[in-house]
């Protein structure tokens, strides 16, 4: 099985269209817990990218540019560099992407 990377882009401030929603860092932590309850996360890497202080990695800059331009909303969730959720993320499309990448369920979920 290959490695799966779940990336959450966001900022401390809640996006303007997401008033009442948790901030991106809280969403990142919630997502780690939710995925960990359902799936074996041995082959999963979680990464949080702060759009206000991004690492100097080109692939991140292109997504951040699209967020700043308003093409995408944060928190933005990617599974293996494919957008699966934006704004207020829902688990169903994220789980669907993980299933598509053959992430095994936790033993007690089978």
């Amino acid at each position: 099985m290959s490695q799966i990377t779940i990336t959450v882009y966001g900022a401390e401030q809640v996006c303007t269209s997401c008033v009442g929603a948790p901030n991106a860092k809280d969403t990142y932590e919630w997502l780690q817990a939710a995925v960990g309850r359902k799936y074996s996360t041995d082959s999963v890497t979680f990464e949080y990218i702060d759009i206000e202080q991004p690492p100097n990695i080109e692939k991140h800059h292109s997504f951040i540019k699209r967020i700043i331009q308003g093409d995408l909303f944060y928190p933005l969730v990617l599974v293996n560099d494919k957008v699966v959720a934006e704004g207020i993320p829902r688990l169903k499309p994220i789980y669907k992407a993980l299933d598509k990448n053959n992430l095994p369920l936790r033993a007690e979920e089978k």
Side-chain angles (χ1 to χ4, degrees):
M1 180 184 39
S2 60
Q3 188 68 23
I4 294 172
T5 302
I6 298 175
T7 307
V8 178
Y9 290 88
E12 281 190 39
Q13 183 176 348
V14 175
C15 81
T16 53
S17 65
C18 305
V19 174
N23 70 28
K25 191 73 167 178
D26 290 342
T27 298
Y28 167 74
E29 292 167 357
W30 164 78
L31 190 57
Q32 281 183 299
V35 169
R37 279 192 299 273
K38 181 169 177 149
Y39 296 94
S40 170
T41 56
D42 296 341
S43 62
V44 178
T45 301
F46 291 89
E47 61 181 351
Y48 176 76
I49 306 298
D50 187 325
I51 64 172
E52 294 168 349
Q53 298 176 335
N56 194 15
I57 299 172
E58 185 56 41
K59 74 174 182 175
H60 296 310
H61 288 280
S62 63
F63 283 109
I64 292 168
K65 182 178 178 183
R66 291 178 64 195
I67 291 169
I68 291 169
Q69 291 174 339
D71 295 339
L72 296 169
F73 296 104
Y74 68 88
L76 178 68
V77 180
L78 281 68
V79 172
N80 288 348
D81 298 326
K82 290 186 174 71
V83 175
V84 295
E86 61 179 305
I88 300 172
R90 304 279 181 242
L91 286 174
K92 194 171 185 178
I94 296 167
Y95 287 168
K96 189 174 181 180
L98 296 175
D99 291 340
K100 202 181 256 189
N101 281 280
N102 299 314
L103 186 62
L105 295 172
R106 290 174 57 97
E108 60 268 15
E109 290 288 325
K110 291 180 180 174

